Amino acid sequence: QLQASGGGLVQTGGSLRLSCTASLSTFSNYGMGWYRQAPGKQRELVASIGFNGRIEYADSVKGRFTISRDNDQKTVHLLMNSLKPEDTAVYYCAADRRGRATGWSKAYDYWGQGTLVTVSS
């Protein structure tokens, strides 16, 4: 249902843009989230965007990351600037059919397969 792409290796201070394309018939009604999981750590919310455009960010990425959505393309993007080594993780996109911008992982009905982001120091 969800296909994430755009991960890779980047140096500290660099940028990447992740994309998540959905095969959901009513994509515009979904809330979408980006999560990440670093080795040995729990999965954490990075950013979420509701059906109405409401956005939430984790404090650790505010001012550096931007989430956006393109309902016509059924895609959500995560633009990551000023990357740090601590941003290294597998990034997952998720979809909430209730349309919320939420950090509650159990709210999400669908998850993508993950894309690896590695930031070298």
Side-chain angles (χ1 to χ4, degrees), residues 31-80:
M32 300 298 297
W34 282 101
Y35 278 74
R36 67 186 180 187
Q37 187 167 21
K41 294 188 177 181
Q42 291 187 333
R43 190 173 297 190
E44 62 176 0
L45 176 75
V46 176
S48 62
I49 183 167
F51 79 101
N52 57 1
R54 180 175 178 268
I55 290 174
E56 290 189 0
Y57 292 104
D59 288 342
S60 59
V61 306
K62 284 180 180 177
R64 299 189 298 124
F65 290 12
T66 303
I67 189 171
S68 62
R69 66 189 299 159
D70 183 338
N71 289 333
D72 290 336
Q73 298 297 320
K74 297 186 178 182
T75 301
V76 60
H77 300 289
L78 185 68
L79 176 61
M80 306 185 295

Side-chain angles (χ1 to χ4, degrees), residues 16-37:
L16 281 175
R17 189 176 83 152
L18 306 183
S19 297
C20 175
T21 301
S23 58
L24 301 169
S25 60
T26 56
F27 175 80
S28 61
N29 294 338
Y30 280 77
M32 300 298 297
W34 282 101
Y35 278 74
R36 67 186 180 187
Q37 187 167 21

Side-chain angles (χ1 to χ4, degrees), residues 24 26-32 51 94-100 102 106-110:
L24 301 169
T26 56
F27 175 80
S28 61
N29 294 338
Y30 280 77
M32 300 298 297
F51 79 101
D96 169 26
R97 66 174 185 262
R98 296 166 186 82
R100 296 166 290 188
T102 178
K106 293 184 178 180
Y108 292 94
D109 302 288
Y110 303 104

Side-chain angles (χ1 to χ4, degrees), residues 100-121:
R100 296 166 290 188
T102 178
W104 186 44
S105 62
K106 293 184 178 180
Y108 292 94
D109 302 288
Y110 303 104
W111 290 83
Q113 85 288 0
T115 185
L116 177 63
V117 172
T118 303
V119 185
S120 63
S121 57

